[in-house]
Amino acid sequence: MTYYIVQGGGIRQRKLAEEAVKFAIQQLFPRFKNYEIFIQLTKDKTDVFEEDERTYQVRVSTKQNKEDFITGIFHEFVHIDQYLRGRMHDYGYTNFQEYINHPAEVEAYARQEELLERWNTARSSVG
């Protein structure tokens, strides 16, 4: 089964999250099928983990400005793309330096910015 669900947060945050999630899926892994993604809008932190093969839990902090909120979603969806393509390996770190220099994070930070630029271009051409 292929689907995602966004829960938590306010109505506007859920709507924005759903739009960003659709965009991320379209940009990152439009041909992949048979996955489940549960997105929880929370006051906590933003992260993702693979519950089991092709089932993912994403938390997105609502305590961010709009751009950081969207960018956080894009960042975590890059990680889902890495999982789906079998590129999320040896994801361990003991300090911030190891985290920020980990190949999965280097890619996610770079691609989140590319996605944000495409998102802003697409939204400015619509309205």
Side-chain angles (χ1 to χ4, degrees):
M1 180 175 281
T2 301
Y3 72 92
Y4 66 87
I5 185 168
V6 178
Q7 298 177 316
I11 293 170
R12 288 184 184 148
Q13 287 172 320
R14 278 193 307 275
K15 184 178 185 300
L16 180 60
E18 287 176 4
E19 291 172 11
V21 165
K22 285 179 192 175
F23 184 83
I25 290 170
Q26 175 192 20
Q27 295 293 311
L28 295 168
F29 46 92
R31 293 187 176 131
F32 276 86
K33 304 294 180 221
N34 299 319
Y35 57 78
E36 298 173 347
I37 305 171
F38 301 93
I39 303 104
Q40 182 67 42
L41 305 184
T42 176
K43 294 178 183 177
D44 197 12
K45 58 186 174 180
T46 300
D47 60 10
V48 63
F49 69 93
E50 185 178 44
E51 191 172 289
D52 57 40
E53 190 173 332
R54 298 214 176 192
T55 301
Y56 307 95
Q57 298 283 339
V58 178
R59 290 186 297 186
V60 181
S61 173
T62 58
K63 299 286 188 184
Q64 307 178 81
N65 66 41
K66 183 178 176 179
E67 185 171 288
D68 289 343
F69 179 79
I70 294 165
T71 303
I73 292 169
F74 293 162
H75 183 97
E76 301 311 332
F77 272 72
V78 170
H79 288 316
I80 292 173
D81 182 55
Q82 292 166 339
Y83 280 119
L84 288 168
R85 295 176 192 281
R87 294 194 333 256
M88 183 64 90
H89 302 291
D90 188 33
Y91 193 77
Y93 55 88
T94 58
N95 60 50
F96 182 75
Q97 243 357 77
E98 288 179 10
Y99 161 78
I100 202 73
N101 290 313
H102 191 282
E105 292 303 330
V106 171
E107 177 186 10
Y109 279 106
R111 292 181 75 195
Q112 78 182 26
E113 297 305 319
E114 293 169 9
L115 288 167
L116 182 63
E117 188 174 314
R118 287 187 214 154
W119 165 271
N120 287 333
T121 299
R123 298 206 28 117
S124 67
S125 66
V126 171

